[in-house]
Amino acid sequence: MALYRNRDDAGRKLAESLADLRGEGNLIVLGLPRGGVPVAFPVAEKLNAPLDVFVVRKLGAPGQEEVAMGAIASGDVMVLNQGMISMINVTDAQIQQVAEREGKELRRREEVYRQGRPPLELRDKTVILVDDGAATGATMRVALKAIRELEPAKLVAALPVASKEACEAFAEQADRVECLATPEPFSAVGYWYDDFGQTKDQEVRSLLAMTR
């Protein structure tokens, strides 16, 4: 049984649970593209906060792209899995080569989404990171770790639906975790939405532009 009609409905319900943050100074809402942005939009709207996008790119091991040896994220942040790097014996030069390639794609996507607008400054801000849901939560965990390195005053992970295990893992990096629902068995994120159609780049661009 679906919990939400669509991402906008999920975002509105998520905003209600975060209403205590409305009026807090230096509040910023970030959406993980693409699907997290239409959830983040009504959150930013209801909390009267600016909205931005936070892009994360996996760093796949050379010749084993499915193996994540780390990730890069908005703000020129790189998070490395040192245990995995040691296990697969990757050199610093190889890591740099992959990071440069993925960095170009990350910057391309940021340009597509922001259309020339600069990213919002996160230092000393209260940051709410939003996604449409999480099964394993791998991308959200990397994003939280990357944002933490940008020194926000407070970091909140917010999702309409996620597995219990994922929400527990988010608490390692976030000061507050807002998971509206943690159904078991979890299945997949899309199962809990009536409409879970793919979010297009144009929708992300439009929503970001509307909040600026």
Side-chain angles (χ1 to χ4, degrees), residues 143-211:
L144 288 170
K145 190 171 183 179
I147 293 170
R148 180 62 73 189
E149 294 191 18
L150 298 174
E151 302 180 6
K154 183 177 181 181
L155 180 54
V156 180
L159 305 94
V161 62
S163 69
K164 182 180 179 181
E165 294 76 17
C167 286
E168 290 174 349
F170 299 153
E172 295 177 9
Q173 293 292 337
D175 300 301
R176 171 177 171 180
V177 179
E178 199 71 38
C179 290
L180 293 191
T182 54
E184 294 184 5
F186 183 76
S187 185
V189 174
Y191 180 82
W192 306 105
Y193 287 81
D194 283 327
D195 177 7
F196 197 65
Q198 185 179 26
T199 302
K200 303 293 179 61
D201 284 343
Q202 180 56 49
E203 181 179 358
V204 173
R205 287 197 299 268
S206 298
L207 292 173
L208 289 176
M210 288 169 65
T211 64

Side-chain angles (χ1 to χ4, degrees), residues 77-150:
V77 177
M78 182 162 63
V79 178
L80 296 177
N81 183 337
Q82 295 294 350
M84 180 60 67
I85 289 170
S86 298
M87 187 184 302
I88 59 179
N89 197 28
V90 181
T91 66
D92 290 345
Q94 288 175 309
I95 295 171
Q96 187 62 34
Q97 186 178 34
V98 174
E100 287 177 0
R101 183 181 69 242
E102 292 299 335
K104 289 179 181 178
E105 176 60 18
L106 185 147
R107 289 187 290 274
R108 186 195 70 80
R109 291 194 179 202
E110 288 188 319
E111 175 60 29
V112 167
Y113 296 144
R114 292 199 182 101
Q115 301 180 83
R117 293 183 297 271
L120 297 177
E121 173 62 49
L122 304 184
R123 185 187 299 270
D124 297 328
K125 304 294 177 63
T126 295
V127 178
I128 304 174
L129 180 64
V130 179
D131 204 359
D132 53 12
T136 66
T139 301
M140 173 69 87
R141 289 201 305 272
V142 168
L144 288 170
K145 190 171 183 179
I147 293 170
R148 180 62 73 189
E149 294 191 18
L150 298 174

